[in-house]
Amino acid sequence: MDKAVSQGTCGFCNATFDKSAMSKHLASCKQRNVESETLPAKRKPQKTKILHLVVEGRYSPEYWMHLSAPANATLEGLDRFLRNIWLECCSHLSAFIIGGTTYSRSPMGEHEGKNMYVALRKVLVARMKFYYEYDFGTSTDLTLKVVSEREGGTKGESIQLLARNEATSIKCMECGEAASQVCSQCVYSGEGWLCDKCADKHACGEEMFLPVVNSPRVGMCAYTG
């Protein structure tokens, strides 16, 4: 599978940038600023600290997102957001690892870490890098970084998607056409990416196939996007 640098689209102006350039763009995006400044006074949310987060696949960085998260949002809320947009398949366990401490939904005692019901402002600071794992069996690992902090308006504890990578173009390993399916057994050796026609001939059988989706969890467990 080609690991080339992926491009992404700004959710405000639809301009296209790569992951690193997107951070700079979002800080000065005119359309983003216009939307914030033109809200009617009665609808303008209260000012609070907002974190700009970049999330990427730890071992597949071609999948990435830029998020805006109020500092009063919780790790549990961030966990829920990541599950909804990128990961959820079978209600697996998950955890954040921040500065050597593990945060999960139901920690088993003090030696098993802390719970996720903690505000981001209490555990994250600007420029900090931390990690996340979904499913401790067939795991999907993410790297997150706090790019910056700013004061701004937000609605409650809502986390907002600012930008994400465009779907990665993956070629069928047999014919070179666009792959639409991936074998959940062969994917671990970097193979099994196939178009519909070639998938019919694959030795592992159709029950092993999952759709090619825009997520670092593509091809894992029962994830269909």
Side-chain angles (χ1 to χ4, degrees):
M1 177 178 163
D2 187 3
K3 300 284 187 178
V5 174
S6 56
Q7 300 288 303
T9 303
C10 172
F12 298 94
C13 67
N14 294 320
T16 301
F17 301 91
D18 64 29
K19 179 172 49 185
S20 58
M22 186 64 78
S23 295
K24 183 177 181 179
H25 166 73
L26 287 168
S28 59
C29 176
K30 293 181 179 179
Q31 186 61 38
R32 182 185 183 188
N33 293 331
V34 166
E35 289 186 14
S36 176
E37 293 170 0
T38 56
L39 281 173
K42 64 180 181 180
R43 292 177 52 202
K44 285 188 177 180
Q46 185 175 0
K47 295 286 185 178
T48 187
K49 180 185 290 186
I50 299 175
L51 307 180
H52 177 178
L53 306 177
V54 175
V55 189
E56 65 179 34
R58 188 170 183 178
Y59 306 112
S60 49
E62 66 273 21
Y63 298 104
W64 53 266
M65 297 186 292
H66 284 255
L67 308 178
S68 174
N72 63 333
T74 63
L75 287 175
E76 189 275 335
L78 180 56
D79 172 62
R80 202 168 351 106
F81 184 93
L82 295 173
R83 286 169 176 265
N84 289 340
I85 201 167
W86 247 7
L87 304 166
E88 188 64 84
C89 64
C90 303
S91 300
H92 294 292
L93 297 175
S94 59
F96 291 95
I97 300 89
I98 304 174
T101 299
T102 298
Y103 296 83
S104 60
R105 287 175 179 264
S106 302
M108 304 295 288
E110 61 178 308
H111 298 296
E112 298 295 330
K114 300 180 179 181
N115 69 58
M116 288 186 186
Y117 298 91
V118 57
L120 301 183
R121 59 183 169 77
K122 293 186 176 181
V123 292
L124 301 179
V125 296
R127 316 306 297 178
M128 173 183 280
K129 183 180 288 188
F130 59 110
Y131 304 94
Y132 174 88
E133 182 179 359
Y134 173 82
D135 183 2
F136 303 149
T138 308
S139 64
T140 298
D141 298 275
L142 307 179
T143 300
L144 301 92
K145 184 176 181 179
V146 183
V147 176
S148 63
E149 299 178 348
R150 68 181 180 88
E151 290 293 320
T154 185
K155 297 180 180 180
E157 299 178 3
S158 58
I159 296 171
Q160 181 183 13
L161 176 65
L162 303 177
R164 69 180 297 183
N165 71 283
E166 297 176 350
T168 304
S169 178
I170 305 171
K171 294 182 179 180
C172 172
M173 57 180 275
E174 297 293 341
C175 70
E177 295 296 321
S180 57
Q181 301 186 55
V182 58
C183 175
S184 57
Q185 179 171 305
C186 297
V187 68
Y188 294 101
S189 58
E191 301 180 342
W193 303 90
L194 299 161
C195 66
D196 289 341
K197 184 177 180 180
C198 293
D200 289 338
K201 308 170 188 176
H202 189 64
C204 292
E206 63 178 333
E207 68 277 4
M208 299 303 297
F209 282 104
L210 291 168
V212 173
V213 293
N214 189 15
S215 163
R217 194 159 176 75
V218 59
M220 297 184 184
C221 193
Y223 188 70
T224 58

